[in-house]
Amino acid sequence: MRINLGTALCVVLCGVAGSAPAHGAPADTSPAARISTTTPPVGVRSVWYYEGGTTDARAELREVRAASRDAQRARLAQQAAAAQAAADAAAEASATARAEAVTVAGAVTRQRPASRSRPAPRTRASTAPRTGPGRQRPPVTRRAPRTWAPPPPTWTPAAGGGVVGFALAQVGKGYGFGSAGPDRFDCSGLVAAAFQRIGISLPHQTGGLARVGRPVGRGELRPGDLVFPASGHVGIYVGGGRMVHASTERGGVKLSPIYAFSFARRVA
């Protein structure tokens, strides 16, 4: 079968023209058309057909929103009124408590006993003067201030009298580093010079003196023993808890208590 190309083209164009609305006829956009139609007609693309509501629906929505706002405001006002009522109740309770405290304090004050009256001052039976011809006070004699003086050291010749006597004779002389007399001494020089008087030669060093003789405890000290304080110093024990030593440039050779005790050595 042969179909004419012009005839087929005419049929297609007529079908398209019949399905589309006429260009001259305006689309119905009245409210009634929008209410009765849920989808826009073919060829009409107006936004009115997609809102899905009417003028009455918009008004109802506005009323619902207004009612919601009014309810929210009413709820906030109710909450504020409740908070104010609670604050007023707390203030009233506090005022009541203070009033009760004042009342109790006043009652306690009224129940307190009267203050005790002070006793009258004592009066002497006799008005005679305390001092008379027969009651003279003895004169007050002031005692002279006490001056401390160290007791003389006790030693015996057998316990190193020559060493102790020489050491005591040097008290008051000056200090000289590395000196062993006769006018200045250091600590080890004083020990070496004192034992040299009895014929015993000792090293002129504190470290060397710490190794001579034999060790003795503090409770076993005898005059003539070498005392080594904790500072590495050395002195000669003279008895009574005292020693003679060349202390410093300012102090020189002096007699002083054993201010510290590390160990002691007995030469002979």
Side-chain angles (χ1 to χ4, degrees):
M1 178 185 300
R2 295 183 178 179
I3 300 176
N4 191 357
L5 181 60
T7 304
L9 181 60
C10 182
V11 172
V12 172
L13 291 177
C14 290
V16 172
S19 61
H23 293 284
D28 188 3
T29 58
S30 62
R34 291 200 301 270
I35 294 174
S36 61
T37 306
T38 58
T39 57
V42 179
V44 177
R45 299 183 179 275
S46 175
V47 74
W48 291 94
Y49 292 95
Y50 297 97
E51 291 184 354
T54 62
T55 306
D56 296 338
R58 293 195 194 94
E60 184 178 358
L61 179 60
R62 287 195 295 270
E63 292 178 358
V64 170
R65 291 178 179 176
S68 177
R69 288 195 297 270
D70 294 341
Q72 179 69 14
R73 292 171 183 172
R75 185 166 57 254
L76 294 177
Q78 186 178 2
Q79 293 177 357
Q84 184 63 33
D88 295 342
E92 184 177 358
S94 178
T96 304
R98 287 197 297 270
E100 292 178 356
V102 171
T103 303
V104 172
V108 172
T109 304
R110 288 193 298 271
Q111 292 178 1
R112 288 181 180 176
S115 59
R116 297 179 181 178
S117 58
R118 295 183 179 179
R122 296 181 180 180
T123 57
R124 296 182 180 274
S126 176
T127 57
R130 297 181 62 184
T131 60
R135 299 182 61 183
Q136 295 291 337
R137 293 183 178 179
V140 179
T141 58
R142 296 183 179 180
R143 296 181 180 179
R146 295 181 180 180
T147 56
W148 181 86
T154 58
W155 68 86
T156 59
V163 172
V164 173
F166 177 82
L168 289 173
Q170 312 309 314
V171 173
K173 292 187 178 181
Y175 176 90
F177 179 77
S179 300
D183 298 328
R184 294 180 176 275
F185 299 89
D186 61 2
C187 61
S188 58
L190 177 64
V191 173
F195 278 89
Q196 186 68 32
R197 300 284 293 184
I198 60 174
I200 299 177
S201 179
L202 296 181
H204 189 178
Q205 294 177 354
T206 304
L209 294 174
R211 293 189 294 269
V212 300
R214 62 184 181 87
V216 293
R218 185 165 187 172
E220 304 172 349
L221 288 175
R222 293 190 305 181
D225 291 341
L226 305 184
V227 180
F228 295 84
S231 60
H233 195 49
V234 63
I236 300 174
Y237 183 69
V238 297
R242 292 175 295 276
M243 67 177 181
V244 175
H245 61 116
S247 58
T248 59
E249 294 182 357
R250 185 175 181 180
V253 181
K254 64 180 181 179
L255 175 67
S256 61
I258 300 176
Y259 53 87
F261 181 83
S262 178
F263 62 95
R265 308 286 295 188
R266 182 168 296 163
V267 178

